Amino acid sequence: MALKAGIVGLPNVGKSTLFNAITKQKILAANYPFATIEKNVGIVTVPDERLIKLNEMYEPKSLVPTAYEFTDIAGLVKGASKGEGLGNKFLSHIREVDAIVEVVRCFEDENIIHVNGCINPIDDIEVINLELIFADLEIIDSRIEKIEKKAKTTKDKDSLLELSVLEKCKKSLESNIPLRRLNFEKEELDAIKSFNFITLKPIIYVANVNEEDASIGYNNYTNLVKEYASKENSNMIVMSAKIESDLSELDDKDKDELLKEIGIESSGLSKLIVATYNILGLKTFFTCGKDEVRAWTFKSGMKAPECAGLIHTDFERGFIKAEVMSYDDLSYFNDEKLVKDAGKLRLEGKDYIMQDGDICYFRFNV
């Protein structure tokens, strides 16, 4: 599945440094606004210890983890929704992603310019979130203007539903409430799906701190961000982009030593990657054999034929059955034959809802 997370924030909050660490790519990270003008895209793999065990068991020629895209989007400024600071271009990039990672500056450094002249993480968050609200409102107002007369005149069911949902969204946004805070019925979400509203996307706030505060895990600024995030049921992760950048240059052994030296249990990036994966409602199934062990990303609630289609469209079109065993059972018995002998290998049909950790062999006929 082509899934994307976008990194946003004001200029000079550590977005590009974080992106460098995530993807281990060397893009421009400069101490002035708009150092990132074109969006930068990198592929990131999802940490999964289950792959280590499966690799040991099958000794495949190829091991393929699940992955998705991280996009570094240039710094937004106040007025972006009106085109300030190349804002319109950047907002269009945000519309393309599935989830938003908003980097918030929670450190003081007189050598790094703050675009607003002072450190205030809540103000920074609200500047960005307000611009995203304005961007969505512009689309809503334009669409309502086009559809309102038709809906009320023809009484077309679909048009009336769309108008009703758009008016619900407009009321929320005009009250400074992002759409992700609202409750929508499935038919309502279907009615507005094509608009790709930015404020409907799930969000994770990354509180970027200095090295000292990273080892503590918080400071006065991060406490404010945590409180803000909790009010909208969003996630918040504390990390130092600088530390993560340093870690990205090391091998696993040296990483562990540096983490111990700093006093951090695990990499902030690992937490961020897993958290981003989780807020999108993503899970993993595996296909295993001597040629390849591979992790596949699917959305929670997908049925077996849909998941088979992620491998190849023919698998879904000609789906017959899926041979399924759980990773936990295979890990316990340590042998496929023993799993089968214990009655833990199942044949599942078209209505089977895939579970995280399923190991599958799909039967199909085209």
Side-chain angles (χ1 to χ4, degrees), residues 136-187:
D136 280 351
L137 267 175
E138 185 177 353
I139 290 176
I140 289 172
D141 287 339
S142 176
R143 182 59 180 169
I144 287 178
E145 186 178 341
K146 290 180 181 178
I147 198 177
E148 187 171 24
K149 185 176 180 180
K150 174 189 173 183
K152 292 181 177 178
T153 301
T154 65
K155 303 297 182 183
D156 175 70
K157 183 180 177 181
D158 291 339
S159 297
L160 285 171
L161 173 61
E162 181 183 332
L163 179 61
S164 173
V165 182
L166 289 174
E167 288 175 339
K168 173 180 177 178
C169 294
K170 179 179 172 70
K171 182 179 179 181
S172 173
L173 295 175
E174 287 180 339
S175 299
N176 203 24
I177 300 172
L179 300 183
R180 61 180 168 271
R181 297 190 194 179
L182 300 185
N183 293 318
F184 290 99
E185 299 293 335
K186 183 182 183 301
E187 64 175 9

Side-chain angles (χ1 to χ4, degrees), residues 12 55 174 219 251 254:
N12 299 335
N55 190 47
E174 287 180 339
N219 61 28
D251 59 30
D254 289 339

Side-chain angles (χ1 to χ4, degrees), residues 40-206:
N40 296 275
V41 179
I43 304 297
V44 61
T45 58
V46 180
D48 195 330
E49 292 185 356
R50 294 173 295 187
L51 276 177
I52 299 173
K53 174 72 172 179
L54 293 173
N55 190 47
E56 292 172 352
M57 289 182 62
Y58 289 91
E59 298 181 342
K61 297 175 183 175
S62 174
L63 181 68
V64 185
T66 188
Y68 59 89
E69 292 182 2
F70 259 104
T71 302
D72 180 28
I73 299 168
L76 292 171
V77 294
K78 189 173 183 179
S81 60
K82 303 299 181 184
E84 293 293 330
L86 305 177
N88 288 331
K89 188 173 185 179
F90 303 157
L91 289 168
S92 71
H93 291 161
I94 299 173
R95 290 200 187 282
E96 298 171 5
V97 304
D98 301 294
I100 297 171
V101 175
E102 185 169 330
V103 182
V104 185
R105 180 170 170 173
C106 292
F107 65 90
E108 295 182 3
D109 187 334
E110 62 183 17
N111 295 317
I112 300 179
I113 304 163
H114 189 287
V115 70
N116 292 331
C118 64
I119 311 300
N120 189 323
I122 303 306
D123 279 357
D124 292 358
I125 290 173
E126 291 186 342
V127 164
I128 289 179
N129 289 358
L130 192 58
E131 293 305 321
L132 304 186
I133 283 174
F134 286 155
D136 280 351
L137 267 175
E138 185 177 353
I139 290 176
I140 289 172
D141 287 339
S142 176
R143 182 59 180 169
I144 287 178
E145 186 178 341
K146 290 180 181 178
I147 198 177
E148 187 171 24
K149 185 176 180 180
K150 174 189 173 183
K152 292 181 177 178
T153 301
T154 65
K155 303 297 182 183
D156 175 70
K157 183 180 177 181
D158 291 339
S159 297
L160 285 171
L161 173 61
E162 181 183 332
L163 179 61
S164 173
V165 182
L166 289 174
E167 288 175 339
K168 173 180 177 178
C169 294
K170 179 179 172 70
K171 182 179 179 181
S172 173
L173 295 175
E174 287 180 339
S175 299
N176 203 24
I177 300 172
L179 300 183
R180 61 180 168 271
R181 297 190 194 179
L182 300 185
N183 293 318
F184 290 99
E185 299 293 335
K186 183 182 183 301
E187 64 175 9
E188 291 181 314
L189 287 174
D190 289 342
I192 59 174
K193 184 179 180 180
S194 63
F195 300 113
N196 221 1
F197 290 131
I198 300 173
T199 64
L200 191 55
K201 300 177 189 296
I203 191 168
I204 295 176
Y205 295 103
V206 171

Side-chain angles (χ1 to χ4, degrees), residues 7 82 98 269 291:
I7 304 175
K82 303 299 181 184
D98 301 294
L269 286 184
D291 286 334

Side-chain angles (χ1 to χ4, degrees), residues 48 263 292 339:
D48 195 330
E292 179 184 80
V339 173

